[in-house]
């Protein structure tokens, strides 16, 4: 038993070293810079300035929540269809879901810009059909669409992996006992797929709230999200202390979200969110 325990520790040691260097140490730096001034003296000045960005942070959370809910509504039936299809169809649909992820996020966002611009492909098609043009770029709707487009695969994959494990005999037994499709969905499929919902919700919500490139390219200068403000503090203003304080608050919000999502999954369920 001791030899097995030692072997497990040796196998896990590269990951533990990686986590310590590239996860724990950077987080400690964020905490440090948020609690000191430019001279290294302890201060709560930068933490106290966070209230000025309350509206931006709430708007970021709201837009991230909308994008996550829409992603869930779109991904849930698709994941169910994938899970109930034959193997060849599953492979084809999986490839179509994964294909956009092979491209860089910057390229995907620029492609969306070309579609949504006032002189872009969509408005050109509307003009060809003698229909009025629609202003889509530099709006909150465009930013939400960008979040959905870039992150919806992270909602589909956890849902699919959970739904593929649901025993089809449970559904058949419920139908034999007189349950209609809505009852089967509400009583069997939805409860059993909660771990996938929780995992997908977190995997889409976290990057949506903290994004900055999508909001910059699709939202223009019309508004800023919390990710844009943090980037500006580090890149333009050289105010690392305030940027670290904002990052610290955002990190706590994300941890709270992950903890809430964990409440919807049991300890033994596959696909749960671990923190």
């Amino acid at each position: 038993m001791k030899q097995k325990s030692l072997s497990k520790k040796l196998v896990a040691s590269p990951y533990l070293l990686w986590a310590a260097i590239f996860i724990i140490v950077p987080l400690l730096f964020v905490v440090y810079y948020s609690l000191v001034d430019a001279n290294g003296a302890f201060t709560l000045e930068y933490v106290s300035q966070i209230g000025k960005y309350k509206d931006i942070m709430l708007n970021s959370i709201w837009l991230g929540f909308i994008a996550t809910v829409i992603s869930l509504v779109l991904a849930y039936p698709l994941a169910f269809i994938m899970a109930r299809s034959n193997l060849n169809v599953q492979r084809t649909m999986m490839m179509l879901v994964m294909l956009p992820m092979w491209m860089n996020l910057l390229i995907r966002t620029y492609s969306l810009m070309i579609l949504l611009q006032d002189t872009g492909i969509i408005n050109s098609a509307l003009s060809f059909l003698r229909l009025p043009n629609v202003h889509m770029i530099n709006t909150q709707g465009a930013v939400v669409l960008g979040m959905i487009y870039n992150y919806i695969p992270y909602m589909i994959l956890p849902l699919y992996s959970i739904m593929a494990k649901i025993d089809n005999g449970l559904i058949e037994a419920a139908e034999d006992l007189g349950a209609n499709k809505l009852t089967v969905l509400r009583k069997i499929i939805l409860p059993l797929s909660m771990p996938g919902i929780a995992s997908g919700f977190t995997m889409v919500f976290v990057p949506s709230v903290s994004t900055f490139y999508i909001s910059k390219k699709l939202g223009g200068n019309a508004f800023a999200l919390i990710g844009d403000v943090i980037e500006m503090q580090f890149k333009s203003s050289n105010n690392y202390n305030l940027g670290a304080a904002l990052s610290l608050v955002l990190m706590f919000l994300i941890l709270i979200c992950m903890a809430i999502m964990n409440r919807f999954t049991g300890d033994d369920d596959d696909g749960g969110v671990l923190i």
Side-chain angles (χ1 to χ4, degrees), residues 7-266:
S7 354
K8 289 180 180 179
K9 290 180 180 179
L10 290 175
V11 171
S13 57
Y15 170 75
L16 295 176
L17 180 63
W18 177 277
I21 295 175
F22 295 104
I23 299 177
I24 298 176
V25 173
L27 290 178
L28 292 177
F29 273 112
V30 170
V31 175
Y32 171 76
Y33 278 108
S34 64
L35 298 176
V36 300
D37 58 17
N39 299 319
F42 175 79
T43 180
L44 294 176
E45 175 188 355
Y46 300 104
V47 176
S48 63
Q49 294 181 28
I50 293 174
K52 299 178 182 178
Y53 303 95
K54 179 184 67 174
D55 293 338
I56 295 177
M57 191 166 293
L58 291 176
N59 190 45
S60 302
I61 294 173
W62 174 242
L63 293 182
F65 179 77
I66 292 175
T68 305
V69 171
I70 295 176
S71 297
L72 176 59
V73 172
L74 295 175
Y76 199 90
L78 177 59
F80 181 76
I81 292 171
M82 288 175 60
R84 296 301 155 191
S85 301
N86 61 58
L87 190 58
N88 290 332
V89 174
Q90 288 186 34
R91 290 172 178 171
T92 302
M93 296 181 72
M94 180 64 70
M95 184 191 68
L96 294 176
V97 171
M98 297 290 294
L99 189 60
M101 299 174 66
W102 296 351
M103 295 184 292
N104 189 278
L105 183 140
L106 308 183
I107 298 175
R108 298 200 302 266
T109 305
Y110 266 110
S111 301
L112 203 56
M113 286 176 59
I114 295 174
L115 290 173
L116 300 181
Q117 284 176 349
D118 293 336
T119 56
I121 296 176
I122 294 178
N123 277 319
S124 297
L126 292 175
S127 298
F128 178 78
L129 297 173
R130 308 284 183 164
L131 297 174
N133 288 1
V134 180
H135 177 69
M136 294 172 284
I137 199 70
N138 297 338
T139 62
Q140 293 189 358
V143 174
V144 171
L145 180 60
M147 294 175 182
I148 297 170
Y149 172 63
N150 282 291
Y151 301 133
I152 194 171
Y154 301 113
M155 182 69 76
I156 297 173
L157 297 179
L159 287 171
Y160 163 73
S161 78
I162 289 294
M163 290 181 176
K165 299 175 183 177
I166 296 177
D167 187 0
N168 197 50
L170 295 174
I171 299 176
E172 293 176 352
E175 291 175 345
D176 290 341
L177 292 173
N180 56 32
K181 294 186 181 299
L182 183 60
T183 303
V184 170
L185 174 64
R186 185 167 53 90
K187 294 289 188 178
I188 297 177
I189 299 175
L190 189 60
L192 292 177
S193 61
M194 281 305 298
I197 294 174
S199 181
F201 195 98
T202 304
M203 293 176 67
V204 174
F205 181 75
V206 169
S208 296
V209 171
S210 56
T211 186
F212 60 91
Y213 188 82
I214 295 174
S215 55
K216 180 182 294 185
K217 292 302 179 183
L218 299 180
N221 297 320
F223 62 95
L225 299 183
I226 190 63
D228 301 311
V229 176
I230 293 174
E231 184 207 18
M232 182 180 65
Q233 300 303 323
F234 282 102
K235 191 174 180 180
S236 304
S237 303
N238 292 324
N239 192 346
Y240 293 174
N241 304 89
L242 181 56
L246 291 169
S247 301
L248 185 64
V249 172
L250 184 60
M251 181 178 65
F252 276 120
L253 289 174
I254 289 172
L255 289 176
I256 290 172
C257 167
M258 294 175 69
I260 293 173
M261 289 298 102
N262 264 341
R263 299 293 296 176
F264 291 95
T265 60

